Amino acid sequence: MNKPAAAPPPPGVDHFFSFPGARADRWRALHAAARGWEQGDAAPAEVREAFDELLPSEAFFAYPGRGLLESLRKRIEGGQAGAAAALARRVSEAILTRSYKTDPADWQSAEIAAEAPADLNTPTLARGQGHRPYFEMLLVAPGAGSRGENLITQIRRLRRPEDAFIYEPVPVGSFEEAICAILLNPAIAAVTLYEGFGHESPSELPLLREFLVSAGFDAGHVAGADLPLSLAAAVKRIRPELDLYLLSDRHVERIAGDPRAAGIRRVLYAVEELLELHLCVLEGVGERFRTPFFDNLKKYAMRPISTFHALPIARGKSVFKSDWIRDMGEFYGLNIFLAESSATTGGLDSLLEPTGNIREAQAMAARAFGADHVFFVTNGTSTSNKMVHQALVAPGDIVLLDRNCHKSHHYGLVLAGGQPLYIDAFPMTEYSMYGAVPLASIKKALLDLRAEGRLDRAKMVDLTNCTFDGHIYNTRRVMEECLAIKPDLIFLWDEAWFGFARWSPFLRPRTAMGAAEAIAGWMRDPASVTAYEAQQAELGEDPTEAALMQARLIPDPRRIRLRVYQTNSTHKSMSALRQGSMLLVRDVDFAEVEAQFHEAVFTHASTSPNQQLIASLDVARRQMELEGYGLVANAIEIALDIRKEVNAHPVISKYFRVLGADEMIPAEYRQTGFEDFLRPGVSWTDQVRSMHEDEFCLDPTRMTLVCGTAGFDGTQFKKLMADEYDIQFNKTSRNSVLLQSNINNTRSDVANLIRVLLEISNGLEADLAGGGETGRASFAGRVKSLMTDVPDLPNFSEFHEAFRWDAGKTTPEGDMRSAFYSAYYAEGCEYLPLDSPEVDQRLKDGPAMISANFVIPYPPGFPIMVPGQVISAETIDFMRKLDVKEIHGFERARGLKLIRPDNARDHIRK
């Protein structure tokens, strides 16, 4: 008896993210099969199978289009091996090189040329001279399968030589196919909806249907009568940057006035407005393409200007007329000097008080990133963080702060006078790093403040999302549960490494702005009040702390003051120059703090900001709005490819591995049980559910590569890769390095990395094989010292009572500012060598050792001591076991810098 065929395994997480690269691979596979058929090395059936495999998804792309696909099918079915191979090669190369965006010949075949009118053979006919950006517009229309070519023809006839852009329509006939198209085709920049389309696709789309169900876009959740508006809402949830147009032959005025149509750029009467649609589409893309500051700077650079201000390098004369520094001009080019000025007049604008093109560029960035306001910052996100602290935190305010966050937050509190209430992240002792701060720790700190009657002093929760090592918070849940305890808390999310996430529908909900938007929508829903009151009835009038800790707290939507700030190092994940940063604001009370916010800008921003940095921030916004979705998807694909190739390679995986989510995040914070992106049996549904529900997720673009198992510490391996192989990494730990894929990486980069890791691994194999027992024992000892004999990570101890002032009895906040400045007086400080017996004696018998400054070892890169902190035995033990060369705030020759005990007693008396 024959057994039934086994069901295919569920699609892996990488199946979706690898689609752009997989599409090109499938076309190359078809070309290889056709070439083999032509040469007699392959059967026609192999070519037909390869063609059938790629055919279903090609409907979601304008190129090669139905005409070329039909020509290829005819050649295959007609036994024309050579002709099929030639056309497959041409299409494959055009997709790989993207030449079809500029070369009209890529769109033609002999059959199309013979059968179509001459003026419609070439989609790019009206391109004219010079390059015009290319994009695609999704057309969702009933019967698109039968009338798609007619729709394409109508759109092409509207083209004019003066059009700023060239675009191709992609016609589909259903809700499901529309979602497929915007997910799979990053070239789509606009969507036009014709009324009358259905929900389900006639094609089999198992992976995408799985996504639709998990995201609530399936037929069970979408109302048929309002399908166009439902689709518009779904498109905006997935890709909010896309322009939407609705063509209707009924009451367009009524539709335009429907609140649900707010995301639609224009509602048009379908019978008479096709040209108007064409012009609207071009205008919409042109609005995103416009870069007010950069466009103006280019015009400024071309003007014949005489400069009598304090910037000799402007216009470049001092450089190009020099016998000694002309090489700098030749290296950078003329434009960078023509675009320099210290003036803020003559068409330029002031970053400190923008009223013109900088103000407009910041407003466009706010729209793109989902914020109410955006500030451009040219001193890096360190400055952005300090601006927020100075603007919002007053002396004595309590700030709940991740002890392991970037040093700019600690220094920001020193400057502002806020009192840090440090909360520790979960430790990853094996890899000498910390993760993120558990929500339970944050809630406990707030409830402790409330129990002591000090909750009114709590001003802000300040966290890093994602962390250096890729830990992503459930930002919405953190904010909602904190607001349930204190409805007016301010949140500062340092997303220095995570700015790109806005352009991924899977990561966006976990960004600060994405979560703030979701909370704002929830607050407007009457069901939010019902949910809050139901929980209050369940908890009772005076719930215990244990009950509050256990519950998934729901805030009162009527009392929430939604105040969210997000800082992005734009230069870290987008195409901005180094130190380019953006500060994003979504604060309902911003009008009340705007004046002091501008004071913070005046305090920290340079009065001579770099024009090129401002321009790069403007351009970075443009790029991400128009192609960020595809760029981020490619970055994720690159990262998943690296994970797969390293961990599955039979030789490389002996010595190196990329850590999975199960190794980076303890099981208690992965409530869904999600283990890793590429773990066998893990499906797309698992990943989506994890992103929705788990307390912490892992950013797929950040990869912790363990090198200690190869006998290298992180610093040593980073130096080896940079010096010997020209491969650069960012962060290191005791036994790992951090790899980060970004929008700049290609598959060639992956191939080079794998080649180098294999070369190193083969070298280790040879050394171990020829080194005998002594060599193998030495290698094993080195690995043990790096992977097993690791020091425990020290948690924050406490502030000394001298710097606790009016702090509560159980809450650990302290006045770090007083401690910081008390160390400015040499007579109030002392030094103790780290290994001196006196250190051990004072740990045992006192008096307490009080840190006079920040001590920050690199790695791991977080302060293990802050001013005013009592130094604990575990901190000393950690420092003594450290084998890193770079420790900020510690001079080994002089020892620990401490506040003298008598100086501390003076503070107590004061």
Side-chain angles (χ1 to χ4, degrees):
M1 182 175 179
N2 293 330
K3 293 182 179 179
V13 173
D14 59 327
H15 185 83
F16 171 80
F17 287 112
S18 66
F19 186 83
R23 182 188 182 218
D25 287 343
R26 281 193 289 270
W27 273 101
R28 285 195 294 275
L30 172 61
H31 171 228
R35 190 175 65 244
W37 179 29
E38 179 186 23
Q39 296 170 352
D41 297 329
E46 294 180 44
V47 182
R48 284 193 294 270
E49 182 180 351
F51 181 74
D52 291 342
E53 183 181 349
L54 62 80
L55 196 59
S57 58
E58 288 303 310
F60 307 130
F61 298 85
Y63 183 82
R66 300 181 186 186
L68 279 177
L69 288 170
E70 180 62 16
S71 293
L72 184 54
R73 184 189 64 78
K74 288 179 179 179
R75 295 180 186 191
I76 294 171
E77 292 182 353
Q80 303 174 52
L87 185 52
R89 184 193 72 248
R90 185 149 59 86
V91 173
S92 174
E93 290 176 353
I95 290 174
L96 184 64
T97 63
R98 301 189 297 176
S99 63
Y100 67 89
K101 297 183 177 183
T102 55
D103 188 353
D106 283 338
W107 295 78
Q108 295 182 350
S109 72
E111 292 86 347
I112 295 176
E115 297 170 4
D119 64 334
L120 296 178
N121 285 347
T122 308
T124 52
L125 183 66
R127 190 175 297 267
Q129 298 299 316
H131 171 69
R132 289 193 288 174
Y134 167 96
F135 66 92
E136 296 178 5
M137 177 180 70
L138 183 66
L139 281 170
V140 190
S146 59
R147 54 192 286 252
E149 290 303 317
N150 181 50
L151 290 169
I152 293 172
T153 299
Q154 291 182 57
I155 293 295
R156 286 179 182 171
R157 282 184 172 143
L158 297 171
R159 291 182 180 147
R160 303 173 302 159
E162 57 266 37
D163 289 346
F165 312 102
I166 195 83
Y167 70 92
E168 273 291 301
V170 179
V172 299
S174 69
F175 184 107
E176 287 187 339
E177 289 169 318
I179 297 296
C180 289
I182 65 166
L183 283 170
L184 301 180
N185 186 350
I188 291 173
V191 179
T192 296
L193 312 176
Y194 285 79
E195 287 196 317
F197 59 85
H199 185 274
E200 291 190 5
S201 167
S203 305
E204 287 297 321
L205 304 167
L207 176 63
L208 274 303
R209 284 207 173 101
E210 187 179 338
F211 170 78
L212 293 173
V213 172
S214 64
F217 296 145
D218 59 306
H221 291 81
V222 177
D226 296 319
L227 211 52
L229 294 180
S230 296
L231 178 55
V235 169
K236 280 297 183 181
R237 275 182 57 187
I238 298 170
R239 293 180 61 181
E241 75 277 9
L242 297 181
D243 294 325
L244 290 169
Y245 305 92
L246 175 60
L247 272 68
S248 175
D249 57 4
R250 53 193 180 96
H251 301 291
V252 291
E253 303 87 354
R254 189 175 303 165
I255 296 172
D258 192 316
R260 295 171 299 171
I264 297 175
R265 186 177 175 93
R266 284 289 298 274
V267 179
L268 300 168
Y269 190 46
V271 176
E272 60 185 15
E273 300 290 4
L274 199 56
L275 175 60
E276 194 72 16
L277 170 67
H278 173 71
L279 296 175
C280 286
V281 169
L282 294 176
E283 181 189 55
V285 171
E287 177 62 24
R288 283 178 279 160
F289 184 81
R290 195 167 60 89
T291 44
F293 182 78
F294 180 54
D295 293 344
N296 187 67
L297 191 64
K298 287 188 291 183
K299 292 178 182 177
Y300 174 86
M302 295 300 102
R303 291 164 55 190
I305 296 172
S306 297
T307 59
F308 294 93
H309 54 60
L311 195 66
I313 206 169
R315 317 307 294 176
K317 298 173 186 176
S318 67
V319 175
F320 288 99
K321 292 191 175 200
S322 170
D323 292 330
W324 301 98
I325 65 170
R326 186 192 302 264
D327 58 331
M328 182 175 78
E330 294 168 350
F331 180 76
Y332 284 109
L334 179 60
N335 281 344
I336 195 170
F337 303 103
L338 293 176
E340 274 291 5
S341 176
S342 68
T344 57
T345 56
L348 297 178
D349 199 2
S350 168
L351 184 64
L352 272 68
E353 288 193 276
T355 58
N357 46 72
I358 293 179
R359 180 179 182 140
E360 191 176 0
Q362 291 182 155
M364 292 176 72
R367 176 201 68 206
F369 284 90
D372 293 334
H373 309 277
V374 162
F375 293 86
F376 288 172
V377 180
T378 61
N379 313 64
T381 298
S382 295
T383 298
S384 297
N385 292 330
K386 292 171 190 171
M387 287 177 177
V388 176
H389 281 291
Q390 178 173 328
L392 302 177
V393 178
D397 285 344
I398 295 173
V399 175
L400 279 69
L401 183 65
D402 178 3
R403 194 275 305 253
N404 311 300
C405 65
H406 189 267
K407 64 182 182 180
S408 59
H409 297 273
H410 306 275
Y411 284 110
L413 286 179
V414 167
L415 296 174
Q419 296 189 3
L421 194 164
Y422 284 120
I423 38 182
D424 285 301
F426 63 80
M428 302 167 62
T429 305
E430 183 179 357
Y431 305 108
S432 295
M433 64 177 75
Y434 277 94
V437 178
L439 176 56
S441 300
I442 303 170
K443 289 171 63 176
K444 181 69 165 60
L446 288 171
L447 292 172
D448 285 347
L449 286 169
R450 188 172 74 171
E452 294 207 356
R454 299 167 50 76
L455 187 60
D456 62 304
R457 294 270 297 275
K459 191 68 169 287
M460 179 189 292
V461 174
D462 184 352
L463 299 167
T464 304
N465 183 53
C466 70
T467 68
F468 214 148
D469 301 291
H471 300 97
I472 309 171
Y473 283 85
N474 190 329
T475 44
R476 176 175 179 176
R477 180 176 177 184
V478 169
M479 290 194 285
E480 286 183 339
E481 295 217 43
C482 289
L483 290 169
I485 300 171
K486 190 172 192 289
D488 62 347
L489 269 176
I490 301 172
F491 297 90
L492 170 55
W493 294 97
D494 182 341
E495 299 194 2
W497 302 94
F498 206 45
F500 73 93
R502 169 73 184 174
W503 312 104
S504 167
F506 313 100
L507 299 176
R508 185 186 310 116
R510 291 209 169 215
T511 66
M513 291 298 118
E517 183 177 4
I519 294 173
W522 174 81
M523 291 168 62
R524 292 190 294 267
D525 187 344
S528 61
V529 175
T530 303
Y532 167 74
E533 291 178 344
Q535 183 174 78
Q536 291 302 108
E538 181 181 344
L539 290 172
E541 291 186 6
D542 188 21
T544 64
E545 180 180 299
L548 294 173
M549 288 293 296
Q550 187 175 4
R552 202 288 195 201
L553 297 180
I554 299 173
D556 186 344
R558 297 160 297 190
R559 297 181 60 212
I560 291 176
R561 308 301 301 168
L562 193 58
R563 310 188 65 187
V564 185
Y565 291 76
Q566 173 184 325
T567 55
N568 285 350
S569 288
T570 315
H571 68 99
K572 283 184 168 71
S573 63
M574 290 168 265
S575 298
L577 295 174
R578 189 174 180 88
Q579 292 193 42
S581 174
M582 292 188 193
L583 199 169
L584 282 58
V585 180
R586 187 158 183 160
D587 182 353
V588 295
D589 295 328
F590 187 72
E592 298 178 15
V593 298
E594 187 171 7
Q596 61 209 54
F597 204 93
H598 287 296
E599 286 295 331
V601 172
F602 298 154
T603 301
H604 293 282
S606 169
T607 54
S608 301
N610 186 288
Q611 308 276 30
Q612 320 317 320
L613 276 175
I614 302 171
S616 75
L617 290 169
D618 200 10
V619 171
R621 186 276 313 156
R622 176 214 281 178
Q623 180 182 38
M624 298 310 285
E625 271 204 295
L626 289 169
E627 59 179 341
Y629 175 80
L631 292 172
V632 172
N634 180 72
I636 295 175
E637 177 190 357
I638 292 290
L640 294 176
D641 197 19
I642 291 173
R643 292 172 184 274
K644 180 167 58 178
E645 294 299 325
V646 169
N647 291 351
H649 196 283
V651 179
I652 297 174
S653 61
K654 291 182 182 180
Y655 303 100
F656 302 95
R657 76 178 189 279
V658 178
L659 296 180
D662 54 342
E663 296 172 287
M664 295 289 290
I665 303 172
E668 62 192 285
Y669 307 120
R670 291 180 285 110
Q671 289 83 352
T672 65
F674 179 78
E675 293 184 340
D676 196 38
F677 307 101
L678 303 179
R679 198 61 50 85
V682 173
S683 70
W684 178 250
T685 301
D686 298 324
Q687 167 64 17
V688 172
R689 186 166 163 247
S690 173
M691 276 289 177
H692 279 229
E693 299 177 23
D694 285 344
E695 181 167 348
F696 298 113
C697 290
L698 198 61
D699 173 7
T701 69
R702 307 184 72 74
M703 298 153 280
T704 297
L705 178 72
V706 175
C707 57
T709 44
F712 298 105
D713 65 56
T715 303
Q716 179 187 12
F717 188 65
K718 176 182 176 181
K719 187 175 188 307
L720 169 71
M721 295 293 277
D723 293 349
E724 300 296 327
Y725 299 103
D726 290 325
I727 294 178
Q728 298 178 351
F729 300 139
N730 201 328
K731 172 186 176 287
T732 66
S733 79
R734 178 183 179 87
N735 49 29
S736 70
V737 294
L738 180 71
L739 283 67
Q740 180 185 3
S741 65
N742 56 52
I743 65 172
N744 186 58
N745 288 123
T746 65
R747 294 173 71 179
S748 296
D749 295 328
V750 179
N752 188 41
L753 174 66
I754 298 303
R755 178 192 65 81
V756 169
L757 291 178
L758 180 59
E759 181 178 319
I760 294 172
S761 299
N762 283 333
L764 290 170
E765 293 269 270
D767 290 344
L768 290 172
E773 288 297 326
T774 301
R776 287 191 287 273
S778 176
F779 178 79
R782 173 68 174 161
V783 171
K784 181 176 182 294
S785 71
L786 290 169
M787 300 300 302
T788 305
D789 301 335
V790 292
D792 288 333
L793 294 170
N795 283 332
F796 178 77
S797 55
E798 60 187 355
F799 283 105
H800 189 271
E801 59 178 333
F803 305 105
R804 293 268 291 155
W805 294 77
D806 61 345
K809 295 179 180 179
T810 61
T811 54
E813 72 273 14
D815 182 14
M816 186 167 61
R817 178 186 174 95
S818 295
F820 181 88
Y821 284 109
S822 71
Y824 272 39
Y825 302 96
E827 63 274 15
C829 297
E830 61 179 333
Y831 288 88
L832 281 181
L834 180 62
D835 295 318
S836 70
E838 187 176 350
V839 169
D840 298 293
Q841 182 270 320
R842 286 182 61 170
L843 286 173
K844 180 180 179 183
D845 302 320
M849 293 182 290
I850 310 166
S851 180
N853 58 353
F854 291 100
V855 177
I856 308 174
Y858 283 86
F862 57 82
I864 59 172
M865 301 178 198
V866 303
Q869 177 184 345
V870 174
I871 299 175
S872 64
E874 62 176 354
T875 302
I876 293 297
D877 183 58
F878 181 79
M879 282 199 70
R880 286 173 173 173
K881 290 181 180 179
L882 276 177
D883 53 5
V884 300
K885 298 182 175 63
E886 186 178 353
I887 305 179
H888 297 181
F890 175 68
E891 300 176 62
R892 192 167 294 277
R894 302 184 73 182
L896 301 167
K897 185 178 182 181
L898 308 173
I899 296 173
R900 299 176 63 90
D902 53 346
N903 188 5
R905 285 194 293 273
D906 288 341
H907 274 277
I908 295 175
R909 285 193 291 270
K910 291 177 184 177

